[in-house]
Amino acid sequence: GEVQIPGTFTIQLRNAAGANITNPIKEYKPVITISGASSPSCSCNYNGDGTFSCEYVPTAAGQHVVDIKIENQGIAENPWKVPINKAEPDASQCKVSGKGVEGPVVQGEDAPIQIEAVNRLGQRIKSGGDPFVIKVSGPNDRVLDSPVKDNGDGSYSSSYKPVDYGKHTVEVTLNGAPVAQSPYTIDVKRPAGYPAANKCFCEGPGLKGGDTAEPSEFTINARDEDGNVVNPPASAWTVMLTDPDGDDVDVSVGEGQND
């Protein structure tokens, strides 16, 4: 059997000769005791034809002993030793949530992910030990660290911090099988106040011409991806200038104020 999965069995009344009794002349009430790794209660319903349908739900892994008595006597082959395995998660039933798979995710900020292990019946598993793996791939073929922490109660925690903005793919797997709706596609946004290169523009005389050895100036107008004015630090910019011989020319970038 398996933890949290109902274990079922049938009791058949028989006479001293070993023949099935289908219409007993009196009422019988089996007494069922389950012990071992856990001690779950067991339902026992009479079917009206000399049989009883029984069901129990083990709550811990390990050997269980099922003892069945009728009128204080153990029935044939009593007791039964039943091995119960740990709860097994169903990758398609497990749940994945958090900003790391739902968004919004911002470049340079932690993006948490939570996993809940769920069995094939859709029940939350309450023990850990399952090998969930998360792989996060971003632009420039960058793979981000996203270690999975086992919380020991059927839940797992993880987080990643995107270095780049843009499309990222988050793959959550269990023994190689995709978990829930994996893979997830996340569009990582730039931080607030961060300029978007394709929205910024330059202007000034230094872009049109000048005299040798005379300072040439131009202005970089910073805009975010929505076209809004932003004021990033000078370190946000990289300006490269070469002379007609292909040699680098020093360029200083000073902080200004966007209007």
Side-chain angles (χ1 to χ4, degrees):
E2 182 180 321
V3 172
Q4 293 181 232
I5 300 296
T8 61
F9 58 91
T10 301
I11 300 172
Q12 171 69 64
L13 294 176
R14 289 179 177 173
N15 60 24
N20 291 347
I21 298 174
T22 59
N23 188 24
I25 60 176
K26 68 176 185 177
E27 182 180 356
Y28 292 94
K29 292 184 177 180
V31 176
I32 304 171
T33 303
I34 300 176
S35 59
S38 64
S39 301
S41 59
C42 184
S43 63
C44 185
N45 299 311
Y46 182 55
N47 298 318
D49 59 359
T51 65
F52 298 82
S53 295
C54 308
E55 180 179 292
Y56 67 98
V57 181
T59 57
Q63 182 168 276
H64 288 63
V65 177
V66 179
D67 180 83
I68 305 173
K69 290 183 173 66
I70 294 179
E71 296 188 325
N72 296 320
Q73 292 188 354
I75 67 174
E77 301 182 23
N78 188 67
W80 284 264
K81 295 181 179 180
V82 182
I84 300 297
N85 298 322
K86 70 178 291 293
E88 293 295 334
D90 183 325
S92 65
Q93 297 275 1
C94 294
K95 299 178 180 179
V96 181
S97 60
K99 288 176 62 176
V101 293
E102 298 170 346
V105 176
V106 178
Q107 179 185 11
E109 297 182 7
D110 287 327
I113 299 174
Q114 291 81 42
I115 302 172
E116 290 185 8
V118 177
N119 67 18
R120 65 179 182 269
L121 299 183
Q123 300 169 327
R124 164 74 183 273
I125 292 175
K126 300 177 182 178
S127 59
D130 297 303
F132 289 96
V133 175
I134 296 177
K135 178 182 177 182
V136 182
S137 304
N140 307 311
D141 297 324
R142 195 190 305 275
V143 177
L144 304 177
D145 290 334
S146 188
V148 177
K149 177 186 176 183
D150 185 344
N151 298 319
D153 60 357
S155 69
Y156 301 78
S157 304
S158 185
S159 181
Y160 64 93
K161 182 180 292 186
V163 176
D164 307 292
Y165 63 86
K167 179 181 177 182
H168 285 64
T169 301
V170 181
E171 300 173 81
V172 185
T173 58
L174 175 64
N175 296 318
V179 174
Q181 302 300 314
S182 179
Y184 300 87
T185 300
I186 298 296
D187 185 15
V188 175
K189 303 296 185 182
R190 299 176 179 86
Y194 194 88
N198 63 333
K199 299 291 185 178
C200 299
F201 62 94
C202 298
E203 58 186 354
L207 299 175
K208 299 178 181 179
D211 296 325
T212 302
E214 291 294 328
S216 294
E217 297 182 352
F218 62 92
T219 301
I220 302 172
N221 294 278
R223 301 290 186 270
D224 64 17
E225 58 186 5
D226 295 320
N228 299 313
V229 174
V230 292
N231 290 286
S235 58
W237 309 105
T238 299
V239 180
M240 300 180 66
L241 180 65
T242 56
D243 64 19
D245 295 325
D247 297 323
D248 292 336
V249 177
D250 291 335
V251 178
S252 62
V253 180
E255 294 187 19
Q257 186 73 26
N258 274 281
D259 297 325

